[in-house]
Amino acid sequence: MILVTCKFNFFQMQEECLLPLEPISLNSTSFQRFSINPNVYLHSILPNNQNNFPRYMQDSSRSIISDLSYKLLKHADTYARVVPFNPENDPLLHLDFTAANTSLTSGITSDTNTFSQYINQKLKGYTYGIGGYNELRTVYARSAFFDDKEEPRRLHLGVDIWAAEGTPVFAPLGGMVHSFAFNDNYGDYGATIILLHQLDGMSFCTLYGHLSLNDLAWLSEGAYINRGQLMAHFGGPAENGHWPPHLHFQVIENMYEKKGDYPGVCKVSEREQYLANSPDADLILQMMQFAS
């Protein structure tokens, strides 16, 4: 773990940072290239204070950033786009699936066709919808797959990108096919691919859920996928776990011997351990900053 002491000026993005390892300048090429406000990412590394910690810090904070988050930030200017997204031409809508969104009723989410119509209506005038990391969602009440007699799973661990069925998915960095599966429970991932990567000697995985079933046909474990290679497409409801078309993208540090699947939703009581193992996938996507 790397201790970071930072003071951020919200408007000027000035910093006073002390990093015992190689420093990442908040005015570096990596951040300038993508117009990244580094404060966006600090919410993903403070699991004990998620409800109270502001998304954009305006004063001093002292925090612990994981080695994986540090490496992902360090290589921020090297990733290929996971979907064809140009912030200058592709309007991006932040979609809210929490209790705060009172327009999203159980009558809508309980029926996949009605839910899909709702998403399509929301996305009129937008290329993509996005959101969901560390989000406490009511939408999972639509499926018993997320229920537990002690505590239901409701906390989302990845980032969702919502768009039309068939939207292409590209590998953001090179890696091997770790595993793949058709997780066909109602509300599950449906067709799923997991890639294994290395950055500066550290291994981690990226998970792609709700894909087209045809995308699994050509895969084999251990096959290498190049950075920027077309690897999959958004699947339709019959093959994506019975959801409106979207991509679930998640970073996973330790798969704990799981293959073809890893929880994308956890119990709130397990929030700290799961967020520690799945840092904010927007560290790679770098899209949330453009959402309205």
Side-chain angles (χ1 to χ4, degrees), residues 139-149 151-154 156 182-190 192 210 240-243 248 258 260-267:
V139 70
Y140 297 120
R142 71 190 297 263
S143 172
F145 177 67
F146 301 101
D147 289 342
D148 186 288
K149 61 182 180 180
E151 180 187 357
R153 294 186 294 134
R154 294 291 185 266
H156 194 236
F182 183 38
N183 299 298
D184 196 27
N185 299 298
Y186 184 86
D188 207 338
Y189 288 133
T192 311
H210 311 298
N240 76 357
H242 306 278
W243 290 93
H248 173 96
K258 296 180 183 294
D261 193 13
Y262 182 86
V265 181
C266 74
K267 301 174 182 178

Side-chain angles (χ1 to χ4, degrees), residues 39-43 53-57 280 282 288-289:
N39 301 332
V40 171
Y41 299 116
L42 291 180
H43 75 286
F53 193 80
R55 189 171 178 81
Y56 295 97
M57 293 195 311
D280 191 344
D282 196 52
M288 285 296 298
Q289 61 192 306

Side-chain angles (χ1 to χ4, degrees), residues 41-61:
Y41 299 116
L42 291 180
H43 75 286
S44 71
I45 56 174
L46 294 173
N48 289 321
N49 299 298
Q50 292 295 320
N51 290 327
N52 301 317
F53 193 80
R55 189 171 178 81
Y56 295 97
M57 293 195 311
Q58 298 188 36
D59 53 16
S60 298
S61 177

Side-chain angles (χ1 to χ4, degrees), residues 63-96:
S63 59
I64 298 294
I65 180 170
S66 72
D67 290 345
L68 178 54
S69 294
Y70 174 84
K71 293 180 190 299
L72 292 174
L73 279 168
K74 178 181 175 183
H75 293 272
D77 60 351
T78 67
Y79 308 127
R81 289 292 187 192
V82 173
V83 295
F85 173 70
N86 183 333
E88 295 183 358
N89 301 322
D90 295 315
L92 182 63
L93 177 66
H94 179 226
L95 290 172
D96 181 1

Side-chain angles (χ1 to χ4, degrees), residues 11 35 40 42 49 60 194 247 255-256:
F11 297 102
S35 302
V40 171
L42 291 180
N49 299 298
S60 298
I194 300 173
L247 172 71
M255 286 291 297
Y256 294 105

